[in-house]
């Protein structure tokens, strides 16, 4: 840390950034890329370097657009490696105008950071001035940052006169079997999900947006996800902290997104939006680690190494819940994948976009870690359906606890010159 | 300090920006030139922020106007990097709009300007500074009405500090008398009554060094001798002042000869402080910085319960810090309202919120008038208290700059 970095070194720093990563590849000019472009160029380059996963390569200059209408980024976007999730409460005394100003400022700020730009001056010209941007993401590049805004059910209570605009399916989740929710990790009026390939870029986004919101909103709870635990369309399936592939059967196709994630034109100002369910799931790491692999596989219903269902031989083999082995079902009826399968839930599917997290060490000296489960769906009742079964019967419940929970409506992205959820204030 | 990369880049981009502005103006030649008066009599000037694909642009539709009332209407159409605009005269802010963002309705401000050159400052734009010319008679040299208001307020604030010093000396006298009489209960009560006087003005008086001692020698540092906590002790100097007395009264529940010695020392030191404080003069930015500094004290010591580790009267100090901070702000307020009415109102609102929250902890029967800040109360309420103070601290941190650049 002896050589003070000069502005001219920005390019060098970018290159060092590339070199420091495994399986590097450089994008073409500009770095203003969309998923398709990144997918085509990236898959080929990455295959040459690693065996099969373009997600193993990182391009610090990759940026996604914030404006343009349609769906917000950070939902179908191929999951980045890191994610900071935070919920906020609107302060007592804040008005509808304060909320409008906040959404407009947040939108502009999100547009800036998603391009890798500061939200204002880092070093103001007047020495007595306070910098608007805190500065820690300067020169790091956009790093595929996406920031996704959610609006909670209580925003539509009597406080702001927005009851008539409440998204039709938005309401608090009911108490669910096995819930061990902590009040300090539950709920919130607004949520921000900031995911990026560089954790400092994601953290900077949340930090500066929280700062922008002060006086109107206060922080409620947050989780720092350090590793992606769900796969996008072109990514290999990553593993959760239990060591198992997670999200093999995640939603991928256009048809699935249309049928299970996006809200259609009937949804009014929310069309093109979706719903977000967030659950902080603590894992009893030490107990799980002491469990024999055979039992672990029975709990999940999959093989640990390649992720193949216990009824098959390859990861993407469709699980056969009727197949028998040694006189018993190959996949136990109360195995995690059996209870979560759409075949056993009237066809219901949700998009999972989870991250592994750690909170250090708990009061008993045990590792405090788990899964920050974030899911998107066109009806939060779909999560309720799934979790009602999982919470009641899942063999995994012995090793996990749902300690945090929240639900939000996620509006569509704004067009340029507008801000997110602008129609709420029209 | 190195210049930021963005500012260096903006220099390179200037030529292109000027070109695009020139094209913009050429494209609407009939509009260029001096701004026209509206029916209300004020000349109308529009400042429009857009993004041209590579950078944010702050465009002014008329580069000049005749002397007199001029209304500036500001609209951010698509410039996500610009959140404020200022009109400056000789580096002084004379008008501004903040919280700008694409999608919000246009906002305006009206100023009566004399002839001369002004600067429209758009922080974050490709070209941050642009000249705006007012033709006609120059305004009469200002007697500096805002500056006068700020200076008057600062002088009056000096009187407030003097009153607190008088209270501090009296309060410490009462505390010493109770300690000398050996009455622990009376001494505890007197401790709680004396503390707020120091906490209200701490940011003004924490820099004194006794004559003849070096600045880095704690033996001559009055703030150390009066207010040092156990966590930051200098072994070579030892423990003196309020908190050493607090330890005896609230932890040992006893008055010893040592306690009496501490009280005598404390009385000597606050008397010395009173003499030195009379010589203090305050500039407006001192008040602004002091107001912010006292809130930093709240966040760094009181909310954590570290200030009053034995008596747990942290909320008494908390309330005193807030009161002292607010007093400094109130004395600046007549001038501040002219500089930035929106920010002034925002800060007032946040003070009201903090005070309303503090009111819920009042307990007339408790030492100092507030409930004891127990570990249990800290666990349940620290978050709420901290966030309320933070919401005040953020706008308040911008005051010093405003005051320093006032016309």
């Amino acid at each position: 840390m002896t050589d003070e970095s000069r502005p001219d070194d920005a390019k060098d720093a970018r290159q060092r950034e590339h070199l420091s990563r495994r399986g590097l590849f450089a994008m073409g000019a500009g770095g203003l890329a969309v998923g398709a472009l990144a997918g085509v160029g990236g898959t080929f380059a990455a295959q040459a370097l690693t065996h099969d996963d373009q997600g193993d390569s990182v391009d610090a200059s990759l940026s996604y657009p914030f404006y343009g209408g349609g769906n917000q980024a950070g939902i179908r976007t191929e999951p980045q490696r890191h994610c900071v999730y935070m919920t906020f409460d609107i302060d007592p005394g804040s008005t509808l105008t304060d909320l409008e100003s906040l959404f407009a400022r947040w939108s502009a700020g999100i547009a800036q950071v998603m391009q890798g730009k500061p939200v204002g001056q880092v070093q103001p010209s007047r020495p007595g001035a306070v910098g608007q941007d805190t500065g820690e993401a300067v020169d790091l590049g956009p790093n595929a940052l996406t920031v996704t805004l959610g609006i909670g059910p209580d925003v539509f209570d009597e406080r702001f006169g927005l009851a008539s605009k409440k998204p039709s399916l938005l309401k608090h989740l009911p108490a669910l079997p096995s819930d061990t929710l902590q009040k300090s990790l539950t709920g919130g009026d607004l949520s921000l999900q900031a995911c990026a390939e560089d954790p400092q870029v994601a953290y900077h986004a949340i930090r500066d947006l929280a700062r922008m919101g002060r006086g109107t909103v206060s922080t409620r709870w947050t989780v720092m996800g350090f590793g992606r635990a769900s796969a996008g369309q072109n990514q290999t399936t990553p593993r959760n902290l239990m060591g198992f592939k997670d999200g093999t059967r995640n939603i991928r196709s256009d048809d699935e997104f249309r049928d299970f994630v996006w809200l259609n034109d009937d949804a009014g100002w929310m069309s093109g939006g979706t719903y977000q369910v967030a659950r902080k799931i603590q894992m009893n790491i030490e107990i799980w680690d002491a469990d024999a692999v055979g039992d672990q596989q029975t709990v999940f219903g999959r093989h640990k190494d390649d992720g193949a269902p216990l009824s098959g031989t390859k990861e993407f083999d469709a699980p056969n819940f009727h197949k028998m082995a040694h006189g018993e079902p190959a996949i136990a009826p109360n195995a995690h994948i059996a209870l979560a399968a759409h075949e056993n839930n009237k066809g219901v599917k949700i998009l999972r976009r989870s991250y592994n997290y750690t909170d250090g060490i708990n009061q008993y000296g045990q590792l405090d870690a788990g899964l920050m489960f974030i899911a998107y769906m066109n009806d939060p009742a779909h999560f309720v359906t799934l979790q009602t079964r999982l919470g009641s019967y899942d063999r995994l419940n012995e090793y996990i606890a749902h300690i945090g929970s929240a639900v939000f409506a996620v509006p569509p992205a704004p067009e340029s010159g507008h801000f997110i959820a602008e129609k709420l204030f029209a | 300090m190195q210049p930021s990369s963005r500012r260096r880049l903006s220099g390179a981009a200037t030529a292109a920006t000027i070109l695009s502005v020139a094209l913009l103006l050429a494209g609407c030649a009939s509009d260029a030139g001096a701004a026209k008066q509206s029916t209300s009599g004020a000349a109308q000037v529009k400042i429009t922020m857009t993004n041209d694909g590579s950078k944010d642009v702050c465009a002014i539709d008329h580069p000049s106007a005749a002397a007199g009332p001029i209304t500036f209407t500001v609209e951010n159409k698509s410039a996500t990097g610009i959140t404020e605009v200022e009109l400056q005269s000789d580096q002084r802010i004379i008008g501004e709009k903040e919280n700008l963002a694409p999608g919000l309705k246009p906002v305006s401000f009206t100023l009566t300007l004399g002839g001369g050159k002004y600067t429209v400052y758009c922080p974050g734009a490709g070209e941050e500074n642009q000249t705006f010319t007012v033709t006609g008679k120059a305004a009469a040299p200002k007697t500096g009405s805002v500056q006068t208001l700020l200076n008057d307020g600062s002088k009056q604030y000096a009187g407030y500090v003097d009153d607190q010093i008088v209270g501090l000396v009296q309060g410490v006298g009462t505390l010493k008398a109770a300690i000398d009489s050996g009455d622990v209960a009376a001494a505890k009560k007197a401790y709680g009554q004396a503390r707020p006087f120091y906490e209200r003005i701490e940011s003004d008086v924490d820099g004194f060094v006794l004559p003849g001692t070096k600045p880095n020698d704690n033996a001559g540092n009055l703030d150390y001798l009066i207010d040092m906590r156990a966590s930051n002790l200098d072994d070579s100097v030892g423990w003196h002042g309020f908190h050493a007395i607090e330890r005896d009264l609230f932890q040992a529940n006893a008055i010893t000869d040592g306690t009496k010695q501490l009280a005598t020392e404390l009385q000597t030191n606050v008397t010395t402080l009173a003499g030195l404080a009379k010589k203090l003069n305050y500039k407006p930015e001192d008040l602004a910085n002091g107001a912010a500094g006292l809130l930093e004290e709240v966040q760094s010591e009181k909310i954590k319960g570290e200030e009053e580790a034995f008596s747990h009267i942290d909320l008494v100090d908390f309330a005193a810090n807030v009161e002292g901070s607010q007093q400094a702000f109130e004395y600046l307020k007549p001038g501040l309202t002219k500089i930035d009415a929106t920010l002034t109102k925002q800060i007032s609102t946040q003070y009201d919120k903090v005070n309303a929250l503090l009111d819920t902890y009042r307990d007339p029967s408790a030492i100092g008038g507030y409930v004891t800040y127990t570990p249990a109360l800290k666990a349940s309420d620290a978050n709420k208290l901290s966030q309320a103070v933070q919401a005040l601290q953020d706008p308040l941190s911008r005051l010093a700059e405003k005051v320093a650049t006032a016309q």
Side-chain angles (χ1 to χ4, degrees):
Chain A
M1 296 295 284
T2 49
D3 60 328
E4 187 175 272
S5 163
R6 286 171 291 116
D8 298 341
D9 289 345
K11 201 173 142 216
D12 297 342
R14 184 76 51 81
Q15 282 166 351
R16 280 199 299 276
E17 173 76 1
H18 274 290
L19 290 167
S20 68
R21 307 273 189 178
R22 188 160 67 94
L24 70 128
F25 76 98
M27 278 286 300
L32 183 74
V34 290
L37 191 63
V40 174
T43 307
F44 177 78
Q47 276 173 348
L49 290 158
T50 66
H51 58 113
D52 61 358
D53 187 3
Q54 80 115 73
D56 258 348
S57 57
V58 166
D59 176 9
S61 68
L62 177 64
S63 73
Y64 293 108
F66 171 68
Y67 293 113
N71 321 122
Q72 278 195 67
I75 301 167
R76 196 171 185 183
T77 309
E78 304 230 316
Q80 305 91 325
R81 295 178 170 215
H82 308 278
C83 196
V84 183
Y85 183 86
M86 189 176 281
T87 82
F88 299 84
D89 287 333
I90 300 170
D91 292 338
S94 293
T95 64
L96 185 65
T97 308
D98 294 332
L99 205 56
E100 180 182 22
S101 179
L102 177 69
F103 280 22
R105 291 286 313 278
W106 268 3
S107 297
I110 292 168
Q112 287 287 110
V113 291
M114 282 176 62
Q115 296 172 74
K117 295 177 180 171
V119 299
Q121 291 178 315
V122 173
Q123 182 184 313
S125 46
R126 290 190 286 259
V130 176
Q132 283 188 304
D133 186 284
T134 54
E136 70 272 29
V138 172
D139 297 338
L140 290 180
N143 274 285
L145 174 69
T146 57
V147 182
T148 312
L149 171 78
I151 306 175
D154 292 342
V155 173
F156 302 92
D157 64 15
E158 70 292 342
R159 283 178 291 174
F160 307 106
L162 293 174
S164 66
K165 293 179 176 163
K166 184 171 184 169
S168 55
L169 303 175
L170 182 65
K171 57 184 179 207
H172 289 288
L173 297 176
L176 294 166
S178 298
D179 271 1
T180 47
L181 303 180
Q182 298 173 13
K183 192 159 175 276
S184 61
L185 299 173
T186 303
D189 285 329
L190 303 173
S191 71
L192 291 175
Q193 170 203 278
C195 306
E197 300 296 358
D198 184 324
Q200 185 147 317
V201 168
Y203 188 75
H204 166 262
I206 291 291
R207 175 184 177 184
D208 282 42
L209 293 169
R211 186 171 180 235
M212 216 178 263
R214 263 177 225 145
T216 302
V217 293
S218 297
T219 56
R220 185 172 175 95
W221 59 286
T222 188
V223 175
M224 167 101 204
F226 66 81
R228 69 177 175 91
S230 60
Q233 202 153 8
N234 299 305
Q235 295 172 316
T236 53
T237 315
R239 293 173 189 273
N240 58 34
L241 293 182
M242 293 178 148
F244 277 76
K245 286 185 175 252
D246 204 330
T248 296
R249 308 191 78 199
N250 211 359
I251 284 182
R252 284 183 173 82
S253 73
D254 289 349
D255 287 352
E256 287 175 312
F257 273 88
R258 183 197 61 212
D259 294 343
F260 297 106
V261 180
W262 306 127
L263 298 175
N264 61 27
D265 292 345
D266 303 345
W269 72 275
M270 275 289 290
S271 61
T274 181
Y275 293 95
Q276 176 193 65
V277 170
R279 306 280 283 188
K280 187 175 185 183
I281 305 173
Q282 183 187 60
M283 294 174 177
N284 299 320
I285 297 264
E286 284 84 352
I287 300 171
W288 175 258
D289 292 349
D291 191 34
V293 70
D295 188 62
Q296 289 186 346
Q297 295 184 150
T298 305
V299 166
F300 270 101
R302 289 189 182 277
H303 293 283
K304 196 166 186 178
D305 56 359
D306 59 8
L310 298 184
S311 61
T313 56
K314 294 191 293 294
E315 182 193 350
F316 290 100
D317 287 348
N320 179 351
F321 299 112
H322 307 291
K323 182 170 177 177
M324 301 296 283
H326 312 296
E328 290 178 17
I331 300 171
N334 55 355
H336 186 69
I337 66 162
L339 292 166
H342 59 85
E343 293 91 338
N344 302 329
N345 288 285
K346 299 177 189 154
V348 162
K349 296 180 186 179
I350 59 175
L351 172 69
R352 283 159 290 164
R353 207 175 185 287
S354 304
Y355 283 85
N356 299 322
Y357 79 83
T358 174
D359 281 345
I361 294 170
N362 70 16
Q363 59 178 317
Y364 309 110
Q366 296 163 326
L367 300 183
D368 193 351
L371 185 73
M372 182 60 206
F373 173 93
I374 302 173
Y376 293 92
M377 62 212 76
N378 56 16
D379 184 351
H382 294 165
F383 172 78
V384 174
T385 299
L386 294 171
Q387 184 54 27
T388 301
R389 280 167 57 82
L390 287 165
S392 302
Y393 312 113
D394 192 355
R395 296 179 73 123
L396 199 52
N397 291 337
E398 196 177 331
Y399 304 98
I400 62 171
H402 286 235
I403 58 173
S405 177
V407 61
F408 298 92
V410 178
E415 297 285 356
S416 176
H418 295 271
F419 58 87
I420 210 158
E422 194 175 318
K423 287 175 183 161
L424 273 185
F425 307 95
Chain B
M1 291 269 249
Q2 300 281 350
S4 72
S5 59
R6 202 181 49 68
R7 275 208 291 150
R8 187 170 286 198
L9 284 173
S10 70
T14 304
T17 310
I18 289 170
L19 186 66
S20 69
V21 171
L23 289 171
L24 195 77
L25 293 175
C28 44
S30 58
D31 273 339
K36 308 251 184 327
Q37 288 186 352
S38 74
T39 49
S40 69
Q44 300 293 314
V45 176
K46 270 193 188 149
I47 302 173
T48 307
M49 289 94 167
T50 52
N51 185 285
D52 71 358
S54 64
K55 65 188 174 302
D56 288 335
V57 175
C58 200
I60 307 165
D61 66 344
H62 298 292
S64 67
I70 302 171
T71 298
F72 295 87
T73 302
V74 184
E75 182 174 16
N76 187 342
K77 284 186 188 277
S78 58
T80 52
I82 302 178
T83 63
E84 62 177 309
V85 61
E86 295 174 358
L87 187 71
Q88 300 176 346
S89 169
D90 288 337
Q91 306 293 320
R92 302 288 186 184
I93 305 166
I94 54 175
E96 68 181 312
K97 280 293 162 190
E98 294 170 332
N99 273 320
L100 306 172
L104 292 176
K105 292 176 189 68
V107 288
S108 62
F109 60 98
T110 301
L111 297 165
T112 301
L113 299 178
K117 298 273 185 197
Y118 296 82
T119 301
V120 175
Y121 176 53
C122 296
E127 187 187 8
E128 294 190 327
N129 291 297
Q130 297 176 74
T131 300
F132 182 78
T133 308
V134 176
T135 56
K137 203 178 163 202
K142 287 243 171 186
T143 49
S145 60
V146 170
Q147 205 61 50
T148 308
L149 287 169
L150 291 174
N151 286 333
D152 287 353
S154 303
K155 276 181 207 144
Q156 289 158 12
Y157 174 74
Y160 171 77
V161 176
D162 290 343
D163 289 348
Q164 301 313 308
I165 297 274
V166 170
L168 175 66
V169 173
Q170 284 174 356
V172 169
T174 309
L175 173 62
K176 181 177 181 300
I179 287 172
D180 286 344
S181 74
D183 186 340
V184 174
K188 283 182 177 176
K189 192 174 163 213
Y191 176 83
Q193 286 170 341
R195 289 288 300 149
F197 292 106
Y198 193 75
E199 293 293 328
R200 285 181 198 129
I201 54 167
E202 189 173 3
S203 57
D204 300 310
V205 299
D206 62 5
F208 287 120
V209 175
L210 291 176
T213 49
K214 289 182 182 151
N216 59 355
D217 181 1
N218 282 327
N221 178 332
L222 271 181
D223 185 55
Y224 180 95
L225 296 173
I226 292 172
D227 198 34
M228 190 40 60
R229 290 165 287 112
S231 52
N232 296 63
L233 285 187
D234 179 342
D235 285 340
S236 66
V237 181
W239 199 358
H240 307 270
F242 273 121
H243 295 299
I245 293 173
E246 180 203 1
R247 169 203 56 190
D248 289 0
L249 296 180
F250 292 88
Q251 186 183 49
N253 253 313
I255 292 170
T256 64
D257 288 347
T259 316
K260 291 178 185 174
Q261 175 64 27
L262 288 168
T264 304
E265 273 176 19
L266 180 62
Q267 189 174 44
T268 306
N269 288 326
V270 297
T271 306
T272 308
L273 181 78
L276 292 167
K278 276 186 198 141
K279 296 171 192 158
L280 286 176
N281 287 310
Y282 302 94
K283 293 199 293 289
E285 53 262 46
D286 295 334
L287 273 63
N289 285 325
L294 286 173
L295 292 185
E296 279 180 32
E297 283 281 324
V298 172
Q299 289 284 36
S300 60
E301 313 295 348
K302 279 70 178 187
I303 283 172
K304 294 177 183 164
E306 289 178 5
E307 181 79 30
E308 303 283 359
F310 308 103
S311 65
H312 302 299
I313 61 162
D314 299 275
L315 290 176
V316 178
D317 295 355
F318 185 141
N321 283 156
V322 172
E323 186 196 309
S325 170
Q326 186 169 10
Q327 284 300 315
F329 167 74
E330 295 291 341
Y331 282 109
L332 291 176
K333 202 168 163 186
L336 282 176
T337 306
K338 286 191 183 289
I339 300 169
D340 190 336
T342 309
L343 180 65
T344 308
K345 187 159 178 284
Q346 190 186 356
I347 293 171
S348 287
T349 304
Q350 296 299 341
Y351 271 120
D352 290 346
K353 285 189 184 181
V354 171
N355 286 328
L357 180 58
L358 273 173
D359 280 345
T360 63
Y361 297 94
R362 281 187 192 274
D363 177 3
S365 65
I367 290 173
Y370 286 88
V371 296
T372 312
Y373 197 52
T374 58
L377 183 61
K378 185 171 90 171
S380 61
D381 288 29
N383 184 328
K384 185 167 64 173
L385 289 162
S386 178
Q387 299 226 28
V389 172
Q390 192 62 54
L392 170 59
Q393 234 178 328
D394 275 24
L396 199 67
S397 68
R398 293 162 50 210
L399 266 194
E401 180 198 10
K402 299 276 174 196
V403 169
T405 53
Q407 62 177 327

